[in-house]
């Protein structure tokens, strides 16, 4: 009986050791893995190449639930202002503006998550920025698809107007 018990214990120990040393490969995380969790980028639909940023026009309205990427056509001053569309607009609503010399190619969510904007636009506080030709402008709303209350709009949009 003692030999039988020792043999069973050795088999159990061997099986446990084998299970612990078995390595399995994990698949790497890719940007596509998270694509459903983050708002989409608002690219120009007229562009043949979807990686090209839309040119910043003289008057642009940005919705709260998208990430925006614009390219500045010529050096000028632009006014950024949150415009209320509802009396229920959240007074804490903010837009984060990033100004870069070149296109950000690592996924817009990484730029947003850096929490280091060049400018923050708040309700009832318009801001004027001097933007340089060929710079890239990224706009993100504090209220967006992955932190918004279901079926509740922000009640405001970002207006960008060339002065």
């Amino acid at each position: 009986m003692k030999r039988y018990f020792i043999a069973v214990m050795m088999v159990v120990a061997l099986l446990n050791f084998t299970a612990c040393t078995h390595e399995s490969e994990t698949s790497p995380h890719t940007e596509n893995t998270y694509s459903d969790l983050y708002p989409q980028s608002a690219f120009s639909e007229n562009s043949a190449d979807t990686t090209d940023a839309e040119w910043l026009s003289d008057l642009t309205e940005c919705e709260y639930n998208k990430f925006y990427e614009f390219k500045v056509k010529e050096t000028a001053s632009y006014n950024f202002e949150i415009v209320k569309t509802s009396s229920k607009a959240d007074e804490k609503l903010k837009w984060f503006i990033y100004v870069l010399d070149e296109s950000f190619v690592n996924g817009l969510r990484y730029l947003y998550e850096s929490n280091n904007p060049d400018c923050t636009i708040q309700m009832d506080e318009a801001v004027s920025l001097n933007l340089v030709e060929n710079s890239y402008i990224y706009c993100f709303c504090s209220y967006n698809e992955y932190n918004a209350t279901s079926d509740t709009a922000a009640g405001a949009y970002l207006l960008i107007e060339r002065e």
Side-chain angles (χ1 to χ4, degrees):
M1 180 82 163
K2 189 174 184 180
R3 285 186 182 170
Y4 177 72
F5 178 74
I6 291 174
V8 170
M9 291 305 289
M10 288 180 71
V11 169
V12 169
L14 182 62
L15 289 174
N16 280 338
F17 179 74
T18 304
C20 292
T21 59
H22 178 64
E23 294 181 20
S24 62
E25 286 188 36
T26 58
S27 60
H29 296 289
T30 63
E31 184 69 15
N32 293 336
T33 305
Y34 302 100
S35 63
D36 292 336
L37 299 176
Y38 295 91
Q40 62 187 6
S41 175
F43 290 106
S44 170
E45 295 183 17
N46 298 332
S47 173
D49 183 3
T50 59
T51 61
D52 287 340
E54 182 179 335
W55 288 108
L56 184 59
S57 65
D58 291 344
L59 188 66
T60 303
E61 293 180 8
C62 299
E63 299 173 24
Y64 73 95
N65 58 351
K66 293 182 181 174
F67 289 164
Y68 286 88
E69 177 184 41
F70 299 108
K71 189 172 182 181
V72 179
K73 192 178 282 189
E74 61 184 280
T75 301
S77 183
Y78 287 85
N79 190 50
F80 292 77
E81 180 180 11
I82 297 175
V83 177
K84 292 182 188 180
T85 59
S86 168
S87 61
K88 296 180 181 179
D90 186 357
E91 293 298 321
K92 297 177 188 173
L93 189 69
K94 296 178 185 174
W95 276 83
F96 305 108
I97 312 300
Y98 296 80
V99 180
L100 303 176
D101 293 334
E102 53 190 48
S103 178
F104 190 82
V105 295
N106 294 325
L108 295 182
R109 69 183 182 86
Y110 294 118
L111 183 60
Y112 175 72
E113 290 172 353
S114 74
N115 292 322
N116 192 23
D118 292 292
C119 181
T120 301
I121 313 301
Q122 297 181 9
M123 195 71 78
D124 301 323
E125 293 181 20
V127 173
S128 182
L129 294 175
N130 294 321
L131 302 177
V132 179
E133 180 180 356
N134 291 325
S135 59
Y136 287 82
I137 310 305
Y138 296 91
C139 306
F140 306 103
C141 185
S142 63
Y143 185 78
N144 50 54
E145 287 181 2
Y146 64 93
N147 66 10
T149 306
S150 177
D151 298 329
T152 303
Y157 62 89
L158 177 68
L159 177 66
I160 306 171
E161 188 174 13
R162 184 175 174 175
E163 294 180 347

